[in-house]
Amino acid sequence: MKTKSKSFNNLFYSKFLGVLLKKGKKTKAKKILDTVLLKVSKSTKLSIHLVLYRVFFNLNTFVEVRRVRVKRRSFLVPFNVSFSRRISLMLKWILLTVRNDSRRTSTINKLSIEIFKIVKNLPCNSIKLKKLNDSQAFSNKANIHFRW
């Protein structure tokens, strides 16, 4: 396992690991993430790096909708997002869908199913959240002048 963990010198992987981390238990989070990625790579017959690459590019977004208050009124305003914010949005969407999944299975199974669906471009909740974000940004593009 140590040789595989050395090959994961990837920013997306390290951020994913940091989001999964609870109470400083890094080895447990690393074990969960490694088993999920191995499961998905075996079922899709892709390398682990390609799985991470596909997850990144299928959930990648360039805009985010934020609420801005102007004169006691609030507007939804689309903002450009930086690279690190894109990664955190992707991870937030994935973990929201895993936590809101009401099935009585382990987190590893839920996470592997979600990542498998993202890699294969099947309909899943995290892609729905991305499309909702993009559609909100498109529908509120008239409010761009509130951005500063």
mmCIF file of all heavy atoms in Angstrom, residues 88-122:
data_model
loop_
_atom_site.group_PDB
_atom_site.id
_atom_site.type_symbol
_atom_site.label_atom_id
_atom_site.label_comp_id
_atom_site.label_asym_id
_atom_site.label_seq_id
_atom_site.Cartn_x
_atom_site.Cartn_y
_atom_site.Cartn_z
ATOM 1 N N SER A 88 -12.816 22.783 -4.088
ATOM 2 C CA SER A 88 -13.616 22.676 -2.864
ATOM 3 C C SER A 88 -15.105 22.555 -3.174
ATOM 4 O O SER A 88 -15.829 21.840 -2.462
ATOM 5 C CB SER A 88 -13.346 23.857 -1.935
ATOM 6 O OG SER A 88 -13.683 25.054 -2.554
ATOM 7 N N LEU A 89 -15.582 23.211 -4.223
ATOM 8 C CA LEU A 89 -16.987 23.047 -4.627
ATOM 9 C C LEU A 89 -17.266 21.624 -5.080
ATOM 10 O O LEU A 89 -18.295 21.044 -4.713
ATOM 11 C CB LEU A 89 -17.332 24.020 -5.755
ATOM 12 C CG LEU A 89 -17.639 25.453 -5.377
ATOM 13 C CD1 LEU A 89 -17.805 26.299 -6.627
ATOM 14 C CD2 LEU A 89 -18.881 25.528 -4.531
ATOM 15 N N MET A 90 -16.363 21.053 -5.870
ATOM 16 C CA MET A 90 -16.548 19.673 -6.325
ATOM 17 C C MET A 90 -16.621 18.707 -5.153
ATOM 18 O O MET A 90 -17.508 17.850 -5.095
ATOM 19 C CB MET A 90 -15.397 19.263 -7.242
ATOM 20 C CG MET A 90 -15.428 19.885 -8.591
ATOM 21 S SD MET A 90 -14.069 19.282 -9.564
ATOM 22 C CE MET A 90 -13.007 20.692 -9.521
ATOM 23 N N LEU A 91 -15.692 18.858 -4.234
ATOM 24 C CA LEU A 91 -15.660 17.963 -3.082
ATOM 25 C C LEU A 91 -16.878 18.171 -2.190
ATOM 26 O O LEU A 91 -17.412 17.213 -1.625
ATOM 27 C CB LEU A 91 -14.366 18.161 -2.301
ATOM 28 C CG LEU A 91 -13.102 17.814 -3.075
ATOM 29 C CD1 LEU A 91 -11.878 18.137 -2.253
ATOM 30 C CD2 LEU A 91 -13.094 16.363 -3.496
ATOM 31 N N LYS A 92 -17.326 19.396 -2.086
ATOM 32 C CA LYS A 92 -18.526 19.681 -1.297
ATOM 33 C C LYS A 92 -19.743 18.988 -1.901
ATOM 34 O O LYS A 92 -20.547 18.386 -1.183
ATOM 35 C CB LYS A 92 -18.750 21.190 -1.232
ATOM 36 C CG LYS A 92 -19.955 21.607 -0.410
ATOM 37 C CD LYS A 92 -20.041 23.102 -0.341
ATOM 38 C CE LYS A 92 -21.213 23.581 -1.142
ATOM 39 N NZ LYS A 92 -21.459 25.011 -1.044
ATOM 40 N N TRP A 93 -19.880 19.052 -3.225
ATOM 41 C CA TRP A 93 -21.013 18.413 -3.881
ATOM 42 C C TRP A 93 -20.975 16.894 -3.706
ATOM 43 O O TRP A 93 -22.007 16.274 -3.463
ATOM 44 C CB TRP A 93 -21.040 18.772 -5.359
ATOM 45 C CG TRP A 93 -21.323 20.206 -5.645
ATOM 46 C CD1 TRP A 93 -22.051 21.067 -4.875
ATOM 47 C CD2 TRP A 93 -20.890 20.964 -6.763
ATOM 48 N NE1 TRP A 93 -22.081 22.307 -5.448
ATOM 49 C CE2 TRP A 93 -21.393 22.276 -6.614
ATOM 50 C CE3 TRP A 93 -20.123 20.665 -7.881
ATOM 51 C CZ2 TRP A 93 -21.161 23.277 -7.538
ATOM 52 C CZ3 TRP A 93 -19.884 21.665 -8.800
ATOM 53 C CH2 TRP A 93 -20.400 22.949 -8.639
ATOM 54 N N ILE A 94 -19.794 16.294 -3.836
ATOM 55 C CA ILE A 94 -19.674 14.850 -3.683
ATOM 56 C C ILE A 94 -20.043 14.437 -2.263
ATOM 57 O O ILE A 94 -20.829 13.505 -2.050
ATOM 58 C CB ILE A 94 -18.253 14.370 -4.042
ATOM 59 C CG1 ILE A 94 -17.982 14.538 -5.532
ATOM 60 C CG2 ILE A 94 -18.061 12.911 -3.658
ATOM 61 C CD1 ILE A 94 -16.552 14.286 -5.941
ATOM 62 N N LEU A 95 -19.489 15.124 -1.274
ATOM 63 C CA LEU A 95 -19.749 14.741 0.113
ATOM 64 C C LEU A 95 -21.179 15.050 0.544
ATOM 65 O O LEU A 95 -21.734 14.326 1.375
ATOM 66 C CB LEU A 95 -18.749 15.411 1.043
ATOM 67 C CG LEU A 95 -17.333 14.868 0.904
ATOM 68 C CD1 LEU A 95 -16.397 15.601 1.824
ATOM 69 C CD2 LEU A 95 -17.282 13.382 1.190
ATOM 70 N N LEU A 96 -21.789 16.084 -0.009
ATOM 71 C CA LEU A 96 -23.205 16.333 0.279
ATOM 72 C C LEU A 96 -24.081 15.187 -0.196
ATOM 73 O O LEU A 96 -24.986 14.760 0.523
ATOM 74 C CB LEU A 96 -23.659 17.628 -0.398
ATOM 75 C CG LEU A 96 -23.579 18.913 0.399
ATOM 76 C CD1 LEU A 96 -23.932 20.104 -0.478
ATOM 77 C CD2 LEU A 96 -24.503 18.863 1.582
ATOM 78 N N THR A 97 -23.824 14.693 -1.386
ATOM 79 C CA THR A 97 -24.634 13.596 -1.894
ATOM 80 C C THR A 97 -24.398 12.310 -1.110
ATOM 81 O O THR A 97 -25.330 11.554 -0.872
ATOM 82 C CB THR A 97 -24.355 13.345 -3.383
ATOM 83 O OG1 THR A 97 -22.973 13.076 -3.553
ATOM 84 C CG2 THR A 97 -24.748 14.526 -4.217
ATOM 85 N N VAL A 98 -23.154 12.082 -0.683
ATOM 86 C CA VAL A 98 -22.874 10.878 0.103
ATOM 87 C C VAL A 98 -23.544 10.965 1.465
ATOM 88 O O VAL A 98 -24.128 9.991 1.949
ATOM 89 C CB VAL A 98 -21.351 10.668 0.239
ATOM 90 C CG1 VAL A 98 -21.027 9.606 1.259
ATOM 91 C CG2 VAL A 98 -20.761 10.279 -1.109
ATOM 92 N N ARG A 99 -23.493 12.125 2.094
ATOM 93 C CA ARG A 99 -24.102 12.273 3.428
ATOM 94 C C ARG A 99 -25.615 12.281 3.373
ATOM 95 O O ARG A 99 -26.272 11.838 4.317
ATOM 96 C CB ARG A 99 -23.599 13.547 4.090
ATOM 97 C CG ARG A 99 -22.176 13.422 4.522
ATOM 98 C CD ARG A 99 -21.675 14.633 5.254
ATOM 99 N NE ARG A 99 -20.271 14.441 5.604
ATOM 100 C CZ ARG A 99 -19.356 15.379 5.541
ATOM 101 N NH1 ARG A 99 -19.678 16.589 5.161
ATOM 102 N NH2 ARG A 99 -18.106 15.126 5.868
ATOM 103 N N ASN A 100 -26.198 12.774 2.301
ATOM 104 C CA ASN A 100 -27.656 12.799 2.184
ATOM 105 C C ASN A 100 -28.231 11.489 1.657
ATOM 106 O O ASN A 100 -29.448 11.352 1.580
ATOM 107 C CB ASN A 100 -28.102 13.952 1.284
ATOM 108 C CG ASN A 100 -27.853 15.287 1.925
ATOM 109 O OD1 ASN A 100 -27.735 15.395 3.139
ATOM 110 N ND2 ASN A 100 -27.763 16.324 1.117
ATOM 111 N N ASP A 101 -27.380 10.551 1.278
ATOM 112 C CA ASP A 101 -27.826 9.249 0.804
ATOM 113 C C ASP A 101 -28.380 8.461 1.983
ATOM 114 O O ASP A 101 -27.694 8.238 2.976
ATOM 115 C CB ASP A 101 -26.652 8.500 0.166
ATOM 116 C CG ASP A 101 -27.107 7.311 -0.640
ATOM 117 O OD1 ASP A 101 -28.323 7.039 -0.679
ATOM 118 O OD2 ASP A 101 -26.246 6.638 -1.243
ATOM 119 N N SER A 102 -29.632 8.043 1.886
ATOM 120 C CA SER A 102 -30.287 7.405 3.033
ATOM 121 C C SER A 102 -30.145 5.883 3.036
ATOM 122 O O SER A 102 -30.719 5.223 3.905
ATOM 123 C CB SER A 102 -31.773 7.778 3.041
ATOM 124 O OG SER A 102 -32.386 7.320 1.853
ATOM 125 N N ARG A 103 -29.421 5.320 2.084
ATOM 126 C CA ARG A 103 -29.242 3.866 2.059
ATOM 127 C C ARG A 103 -28.413 3.404 3.247
ATOM 128 O O ARG A 103 -27.537 4.117 3.715
ATOM 129 C CB ARG A 103 -28.566 3.427 0.753
ATOM 130 C CG ARG A 103 -29.503 3.542 -0.428
ATOM 131 C CD ARG A 103 -28.804 3.107 -1.656
ATOM 132 N NE ARG A 103 -27.938 4.225 -2.067
ATOM 133 C CZ ARG A 103 -27.127 4.190 -3.097
ATOM 134 N NH1 ARG A 103 -27.036 3.117 -3.812
ATOM 135 N NH2 ARG A 103 -26.398 5.233 -3.414
ATOM 136 N N ARG A 104 -28.681 2.208 3.712
ATOM 137 C CA ARG A 104 -28.010 1.684 4.890
ATOM 138 C C ARG A 104 -26.774 0.883 4.500
ATOM 139 O O ARG A 104 -26.660 -0.288 4.820
ATOM 140 C CB ARG A 104 -28.972 0.798 5.692
ATOM 141 C CG ARG A 104 -30.279 1.438 6.071
ATOM 142 C CD ARG A 104 -30.266 2.089 7.383
ATOM 143 N NE ARG A 104 -29.888 1.174 8.433
ATOM 144 C CZ ARG A 104 -29.634 1.547 9.655
ATOM 145 N NH1 ARG A 104 -29.733 2.808 9.962
ATOM 146 N NH2 ARG A 104 -29.279 0.682 10.566
ATOM 147 N N THR A 105 -25.863 1.507 3.788
ATOM 148 C CA THR A 105 -24.599 0.874 3.428
ATOM 149 C C THR A 105 -23.451 1.719 3.969
ATOM 150 O O THR A 105 -23.659 2.804 4.497
ATOM 151 C CB THR A 105 -24.452 0.732 1.898
ATOM 152 O OG1 THR A 105 -24.506 2.036 1.311
ATOM 153 C CG2 THR A 105 -25.555 -0.128 1.308
ATOM 154 N N SER A 106 -22.257 1.221 3.810
ATOM 155 C CA SER A 106 -21.101 1.932 4.339
ATOM 156 C C SER A 106 -20.789 3.167 3.494
ATOM 157 O O SER A 106 -21.215 3.303 2.346
ATOM 158 C CB SER A 106 -19.883 1.009 4.363
ATOM 159 O OG SER A 106 -19.496 0.694 3.049
ATOM 160 N N THR A 107 -20.015 4.053 4.072
ATOM 161 C CA THR A 107 -19.607 5.270 3.374
ATOM 162 C C THR A 107 -18.747 4.931 2.166
ATOM 163 O O THR A 107 -18.816 5.604 1.140
ATOM 164 C CB THR A 107 -18.825 6.178 4.336
ATOM 165 O OG1 THR A 107 -19.604 6.376 5.516
ATOM 166 C CG2 THR A 107 -18.528 7.514 3.717
ATOM 167 N N ILE A 108 -17.952 3.877 2.289
ATOM 168 C CA ILE A 108 -17.097 3.464 1.176
ATOM 169 C C ILE A 108 -17.948 3.086 -0.030
ATOM 170 O O ILE A 108 -17.663 3.503 -1.156
ATOM 171 C CB ILE A 108 -16.186 2.290 1.606
ATOM 172 C CG1 ILE A 108 -15.220 2.761 2.692
ATOM 173 C CG2 ILE A 108 -15.436 1.722 0.423
ATOM 174 C CD1 ILE A 108 -14.394 1.655 3.299
ATOM 175 N N ASN A 109 -19.011 2.317 0.201
ATOM 176 C CA ASN A 109 -19.878 1.921 -0.911
ATOM 177 C C ASN A 109 -20.602 3.118 -1.519
ATOM 178 O O ASN A 109 -20.698 3.235 -2.742
ATOM 179 C CB ASN A 109 -20.890 0.878 -0.448
ATOM 180 C CG ASN A 109 -20.252 -0.465 -0.209
ATOM 181 O OD1 ASN A 109 -19.179 -0.757 -0.729
ATOM 182 N ND2 ASN A 109 -20.883 -1.286 0.601
ATOM 183 N N LYS A 110 -21.114 3.998 -0.670
ATOM 184 C CA LYS A 110 -21.817 5.180 -1.183
ATOM 185 C C LYS A 110 -20.884 6.056 -2.018
ATOM 186 O O LYS A 110 -21.240 6.510 -3.099
ATOM 187 C CB LYS A 110 -22.374 6.005 -0.022
ATOM 188 C CG LYS A 110 -23.511 5.361 0.723
ATOM 189 C CD LYS A 110 -23.930 6.267 1.854
ATOM 190 C CE LYS A 110 -24.895 5.612 2.794
ATOM 191 N NZ LYS A 110 -25.240 6.483 3.923
ATOM 192 N N LEU A 111 -19.668 6.276 -1.493
ATOM 193 C CA LEU A 111 -18.700 7.120 -2.190
ATOM 194 C C LEU A 111 -18.244 6.484 -3.497
ATOM 195 O O LEU A 111 -18.108 7.167 -4.516
ATOM 196 C CB LEU A 111 -17.516 7.399 -1.273
ATOM 197 C CG LEU A 111 -16.536 8.485 -1.655
ATOM 198 C CD1 LEU A 111 -17.246 9.812 -1.813
ATOM 199 C CD2 LEU A 111 -15.455 8.591 -0.608
ATOM 200 N N SER A 112 -18.038 5.167 -3.490
ATOM 201 C CA SER A 112 -17.594 4.498 -4.717
ATOM 202 C C SER A 112 -18.692 4.511 -5.777
ATOM 203 O O SER A 112 -18.399 4.694 -6.964
ATOM 204 C CB SER A 112 -17.132 3.079 -4.422
ATOM 205 O OG SER A 112 -18.189 2.315 -3.906
ATOM 206 N N ILE A 113 -19.943 4.360 -5.370
ATOM 207 C CA ILE A 113 -21.051 4.416 -6.333
ATOM 208 C C ILE A 113 -21.154 5.811 -6.939
ATOM 209 O O ILE A 113 -21.320 5.968 -8.154
ATOM 210 C CB ILE A 113 -22.375 4.000 -5.658
ATOM 211 C CG1 ILE A 113 -22.370 2.496 -5.371
ATOM 212 C CG2 ILE A 113 -23.576 4.366 -6.510
ATOM 213 C CD1 ILE A 113 -23.495 2.028 -4.483
ATOM 214 N N GLU A 114 -21.019 6.832 -6.096
ATOM 215 C CA GLU A 114 -21.120 8.204 -6.584
ATOM 216 C C GLU A 114 -19.974 8.540 -7.546
ATOM 217 O O GLU A 114 -20.191 9.119 -8.608
ATOM 218 C CB GLU A 114 -21.116 9.173 -5.393
ATOM 219 C CG GLU A 114 -21.408 10.587 -5.758
ATOM 220 C CD GLU A 114 -22.834 10.821 -6.212
ATOM 221 O OE1 GLU A 114 -23.730 10.043 -5.844
ATOM 222 O OE2 GLU A 114 -23.041 11.790 -6.955
ATOM 223 N N ILE A 115 -18.766 8.150 -7.194
ATOM 224 C CA ILE A 115 -17.622 8.430 -8.068
ATOM 225 C C ILE A 115 -17.718 7.628 -9.359
ATOM 226 O O ILE A 115 -17.387 8.132 -10.432
ATOM 227 C CB ILE A 115 -16.304 8.175 -7.312
ATOM 228 C CG1 ILE A 115 -16.126 9.262 -6.255
ATOM 229 C CG2 ILE A 115 -15.111 8.154 -8.248
ATOM 230 C CD1 ILE A 115 -14.912 9.121 -5.405
ATOM 231 N N PHE A 116 -18.209 6.397 -9.273
ATOM 232 C CA PHE A 116 -18.411 5.596 -10.485
ATOM 233 C C PHE A 116 -19.396 6.283 -11.416
ATOM 234 O O PHE A 116 -19.167 6.360 -12.630
ATOM 235 C CB PHE A 116 -18.909 4.196 -10.111
ATOM 236 C CG PHE A 116 -19.225 3.337 -11.290
ATOM 237 C CD1 PHE A 116 -18.208 2.724 -11.997
ATOM 238 C CD2 PHE A 116 -20.533 3.141 -11.705
ATOM 239 C CE1 PHE A 116 -18.497 1.923 -13.093
ATOM 240 C CE2 PHE A 116 -20.824 2.347 -12.795
ATOM 241 C CZ PHE A 116 -19.802 1.738 -13.490
ATOM 242 N N LYS A 117 -20.492 6.794 -10.874
ATOM 243 C CA LYS A 117 -21.481 7.483 -11.710
ATOM 244 C C LYS A 117 -20.917 8.758 -12.321
ATOM 245 O O LYS A 117 -21.231 9.097 -13.457
ATOM 246 C CB LYS A 117 -22.730 7.808 -10.883
ATOM 247 C CG LYS A 117 -23.581 6.599 -10.579
ATOM 248 C CD LYS A 117 -24.804 6.988 -9.793
ATOM 249 C CE LYS A 117 -25.680 5.799 -9.517
ATOM 250 N NZ LYS A 117 -26.879 6.187 -8.748
ATOM 251 N N ILE A 118 -20.074 9.456 -11.569
ATOM 252 C CA ILE A 118 -19.459 10.682 -12.103
ATOM 253 C C ILE A 118 -18.511 10.340 -13.246
ATOM 254 O O ILE A 118 -18.508 10.994 -14.285
ATOM 255 C CB ILE A 118 -18.723 11.447 -10.988
ATOM 256 C CG1 ILE A 118 -19.710 11.993 -9.977
ATOM 257 C CG2 ILE A 118 -17.912 12.587 -11.571
ATOM 258 C CD1 ILE A 118 -19.064 12.512 -8.722
ATOM 259 N N VAL A 119 -17.713 9.281 -13.063
ATOM 260 C CA VAL A 119 -16.738 8.900 -14.091
ATOM 261 C C VAL A 119 -17.446 8.439 -15.363
ATOM 262 O O VAL A 119 -17.038 8.784 -16.469
ATOM 263 C CB VAL A 119 -15.798 7.800 -13.541
ATOM 264 C CG1 VAL A 119 -14.988 7.173 -14.648
ATOM 265 C CG2 VAL A 119 -14.886 8.370 -12.486
ATOM 266 N N LYS A 120 -18.529 7.692 -15.210
ATOM 267 C CA LYS A 120 -19.259 7.182 -16.371
ATOM 268 C C LYS A 120 -20.275 8.169 -16.927
ATOM 269 O O LYS A 120 -20.983 7.851 -17.872
ATOM 270 C CB LYS A 120 -19.986 5.884 -15.992
ATOM 271 C CG LYS A 120 -19.060 4.714 -15.792
ATOM 272 C CD LYS A 120 -18.452 4.313 -17.103
ATOM 273 C CE LYS A 120 -17.693 3.024 -16.959
ATOM 274 N NZ LYS A 120 -17.149 2.563 -18.201
ATOM 275 N N ASN A 121 -20.381 9.361 -16.334
ATOM 276 C CA ASN A 121 -21.341 10.389 -16.741
ATOM 277 C C ASN A 121 -22.786 9.917 -16.648
ATOM 278 O O ASN A 121 -23.629 10.293 -17.448
ATOM 279 C CB ASN A 121 -21.048 10.891 -18.150
ATOM 280 C CG ASN A 121 -20.512 12.293 -18.135
ATOM 281 O OD1 ASN A 121 -20.617 12.992 -17.137
ATOM 282 N ND2 ASN A 121 -19.940 12.710 -19.239
ATOM 283 N N LEU A 122 -23.079 9.105 -15.658
ATOM 284 C CA LEU A 122 -24.443 8.670 -15.393
ATOM 285 C C LEU A 122 -25.126 9.715 -14.513
ATOM 286 O O LEU A 122 -24.460 10.480 -13.828
ATOM 287 C CB LEU A 122 -24.419 7.311 -14.682
ATOM 288 C CG LEU A 122 -23.796 6.162 -15.469
ATOM 289 C CD1 LEU A 122 -23.673 4.932 -14.591
ATOM 290 C CD2 LEU A 122 -24.602 5.853 -16.702
#
